[in-house]
Amino acid sequence: MKKVLTIIVSYNFEPWLTKCLDSLLQSTYPTDIFVIDNASSDHTVARIQQDYPQVILRQSDKNLGFGRANNLGFDYAITNRYDVVFLVNQDAWVQSSCLQHLMEEDYGPNVGIVSPMHYDGTGEQLDQGFAGYIKAGQANLSSFPVPFVNAAFWLIPVPVLKQVGLFAPIFYHYGEDSDYANRIKYHGMHLIVSRRAIAYHDRQNRNNVSRAQFFQREYIYFLTEYANVNHSFFSAFAYGVVAPIKKAFLRSSSSHAGLLPYLAIAFKVLAQTAAVYHTRKRNA
């Protein structure tokens, strides 16, 4: 039986702590659990220490962000010779058979990441973001490839980690999964969804996005394009730096609302050129 390490990055984890950890402890396929706490201000650490002594807990004295914190778990898995890592968001939980279905199905060669089906926290419908990755007819297949699926639930074989690498530290929070999916593609691997594996992501009440959040997401998108190793550097520059400038002036023709924010995004992405260059070089 292959050794699985489930990795959870926590920050003020208390609202979901019991549901998340209990679901993993009740898994029909055994897994060790590794929690990296990003300096929570609630009782997350004390509760894990008291109620879940079997959980491997690492405490950071500062918020490392999602990618860098997960990298600590990746390093632990590699050092301790685990076969597979399973990333699970803190605001999420799994059916007891989820991991077993993920582990036991034959997906064929060149599989880099496997994901379960993502339902929302009510369990009544697919997570809204996840539903956008599914094409008509795919949901009737036992498993199927997708160009991307967010990292709320990612099963990654450790040999893939060794080949593709860890999360790029240039992405603090958000964007690291898109970048990793781009690297999976670069290495000729696939992202697969297993229909029989079911998990739940409790974010259905977070659909309202502020103006600041919208433009932050736009910045991350363009930064991801700049770092995308599937593009030549010239093309990446066009997609990551020139594109938001173009978008700024297209917006200005009808409204000035987007002009300055998109110009700011372009200059902010451009300022990351040295870091992007080193990221692209390392990822390739």
Side-chain angles (χ1 to χ4, degrees):
M1 180 175 283
K2 291 184 176 180
K3 287 177 60 181
V4 179
L5 182 69
T6 295
I7 302 172
I8 302 167
V9 175
S10 67
Y11 179 74
N12 294 343
F13 184 21
E14 277 197 280
W16 306 278
L17 188 152
T18 299
K19 203 163 191 177
C20 179
L21 295 181
D22 283 359
S23 75
L24 292 163
L25 291 170
Q26 293 163 11
S27 172
T28 56
Y29 194 104
T31 176
D32 292 339
I33 303 172
F34 185 98
V35 174
I36 311 96
D37 187 71
N38 267 337
S40 291
S41 59
D42 64 2
H43 301 98
T44 291
V45 169
R47 285 193 55 194
I48 292 174
Q49 290 173 333
Q50 178 177 330
D51 300 334
Y52 298 93
Q54 65 272 63
V55 169
I56 304 160
L57 177 64
R58 295 290 182 271
Q59 301 176 57
S60 174
D61 58 4
K62 63 181 179 180
N63 193 331
L64 299 172
F66 183 78
R68 288 177 62 196
N70 267 304
N71 285 348
L72 297 178
F74 292 159
D75 284 335
Y76 184 90
I78 293 168
T79 300
N80 291 276
R81 299 184 179 180
Y82 284 86
D83 299 294
V84 177
V85 296
F86 184 35
L87 308 190
V88 175
N89 270 25
Q90 69 167 10
D91 56 347
W93 55 93
V94 298
Q95 278 192 357
S96 61
S97 60
C98 177
L99 187 55
Q100 184 166 354
H101 288 311
L102 292 176
M103 290 295 297
E104 292 183 351
E105 187 164 342
D106 181 10
Y107 303 103
N110 301 322
V111 173
I113 298 169
V114 185
S115 167
M117 299 287 285
H118 300 201
Y119 283 79
D120 67 15
T122 70
E124 298 175 358
Q125 58 188 4
L126 290 177
D127 172 77
Q128 185 176 357
F130 177 81
Y133 313 135
I134 308 302
K135 295 180 180 179
Q138 284 183 324
N140 294 320
L141 303 173
S142 61
S143 62
F144 49 88
V146 290
F148 176 74
V149 60
N150 63 287
F153 310 95
W154 272 10
L155 189 81
I156 311 174
V158 167
V160 172
L161 289 180
K162 292 180 178 179
Q163 180 177 352
V164 178
L166 311 186
F167 281 134
I170 191 175
F171 299 99
Y172 174 75
H173 189 60
Y174 298 121
E176 59 284 300
D177 53 356
S178 296
D179 177 70
Y180 207 84
N182 289 336
R183 291 154 59 191
I184 289 288
K185 178 181 177 181
Y186 178 82
H187 285 275
M189 300 180 191
H190 306 292
L191 282 78
I192 302 293
V193 171
S194 171
R195 187 178 65 84
R196 293 190 300 162
I198 305 296
Y200 306 95
H201 194 181
D202 188 25
R203 61 173 185 168
Q204 62 277 1
N205 297 320
R206 288 177 247 167
N207 294 326
N208 293 328
V209 177
S210 69
R211 177 181 169 84
Q213 288 172 324
F214 171 80
F215 284 112
Q216 176 64 13
R217 291 182 182 183
E218 288 286 85
Y219 162 69
I220 291 167
Y221 166 76
F222 289 114
L223 182 62
T224 303
E225 287 296 286
Y226 201 14
N228 189 342
V229 288
N230 296 292
H231 303 322
S232 67
F233 190 81
F234 179 81
S235 295
F237 185 86
Y239 287 123
V241 179
V242 177
I245 295 174
K246 183 178 179 180
K247 202 165 187 177
F249 285 101
L250 287 174
R251 285 291 190 97
S252 69
S253 63
S254 58
S255 168
H256 291 291
L259 174 63
L260 292 179
Y262 279 108
L263 287 178
I265 286 171
F267 285 110
K268 189 176 179 182
V269 172
L270 182 62
Q272 292 282 353
T273 296
V276 166
Y277 173 80
H278 291 296
T279 296
R280 289 173 58 85
K281 185 175 180 181
R282 181 174 58 248
N283 290 348

